[in-house]
Each structure stands twice: as structure tokens, then as C-alpha cells.
Amino acid sequence: MMNLLQQIKNRRLALKLKQNEMPMRIGISRQQYQRLEAKGNPRLDTLELIAKGLNSDVMLIPKEKLNAVLAVLESDGNNTSLPHKQPDHSDEQKQLSDDPWKGLLEDKDGDEDDNGN
């Protein structure tokens, strides 16, 4: 599995952004961004800025859900036009194609808070 810095660089390249465009998008110096992408250890607030600049979110993924999340990420780019090709899907299939993340990270216990309420 690739590390976080590789993911940041790959996402930037996927969005066709040059390294020198990122500082304007996220509000840090060019040198700071270059150092961060090369070997940095960003603070959480800086990481959140980078994610926002890359049209992404920072998220903790439970290990038991990781394979399911990776499968969705891998298939996401390949099936973007699927709903248009086959409009006669069942409601459940339409919901999944509209929101492939639906239910993926929810707890099995429902909407309880940390105190069981």
C-alpha cells in the first residue's frame, strides 16, 4: 500500500496540477509544499488544507473496512458511465451507483453515540 505522501502526489497528478500550483490553492509557501511532498511530516491542519486543495478529504478507515473502501476506489473511475448505459437498474442498484460509499463506514449498531444513546 502506498504511503500518504505518494497518495498526495498521485492525487495532484491525477488532477493535472503542477507542484508549483499547490501553494496558491492551499496557502503555504512553495518551498514548504515541495518539502512536504518529498519527505514531509505534515501537521493535521496542513494535511486538511492539502486534502481540500486536492478536492479530497482526510479520513480514518477502520482496518476491517479497508478492502471494501479500496475496491470502491478502484472501481470508481471505471464505472462512472454505468448508470447511463443501463437505466433499468433496480432501486437498490441505482442507490449504490449514486452513492457507492452508502453504508460502507457506518457502525452496525446504528446511530448510537459513544455513551450508547
Side-chain angles (χ1 to χ4, degrees):
M1 182 172 216
M2 75 176 83
N3 71 35
L4 185 59
L5 298 178
Q6 290 170 315
Q7 290 179 51
I8 289 170
K9 183 176 181 178
N10 288 349
R11 177 66 178 161
R12 177 180 58 77
L13 294 172
L15 293 173
K16 297 179 175 26
L17 294 169
K18 295 184 174 132
Q19 198 176 43
N20 63 6
E21 294 174 289
M22 287 301 295
M24 276 194 303
R25 292 176 67 96
I26 62 176
I28 65 174
S29 74
R30 183 175 56 86
Q31 293 86 356
Q32 184 181 3
Y33 183 80
Q34 287 174 333
R35 187 170 49 250
L36 185 145
E37 195 174 280
K39 60 180 189 287
N41 186 11
R43 295 183 348 203
L44 183 57
D45 59 343
T46 304
L47 188 56
E48 288 174 335
L49 285 173
I50 291 168
K52 188 175 181 180
L54 294 172
N55 298 331
S56 300
D57 283 312
V58 175
M59 176 183 286
L60 289 177
I61 301 171
K63 284 192 179 244
E64 63 273 11
K65 303 283 187 173
L66 184 59
N67 288 334
V69 170
L70 291 173
V72 169
L73 290 173
E74 288 172 8
S75 68
D76 193 38
N78 300 331
N79 296 330
T80 52
S81 62
L82 186 61
H84 304 294
K85 289 181 184 173
Q86 299 174 354
D88 296 328
H89 286 312
S90 72
D91 288 342
E92 183 176 303
Q93 287 172 321
K94 283 182 183 176
Q95 288 177 340
L96 182 59
S97 65
D98 290 343
D99 184 6
W101 298 95
K102 184 175 177 65
L104 201 57
L105 298 176
E106 293 173 0
D107 288 336
K108 292 178 182 168
D109 298 335
D111 294 327
E112 295 179 356
D113 63 20
D114 290 339
N115 299 322
N117 297 325

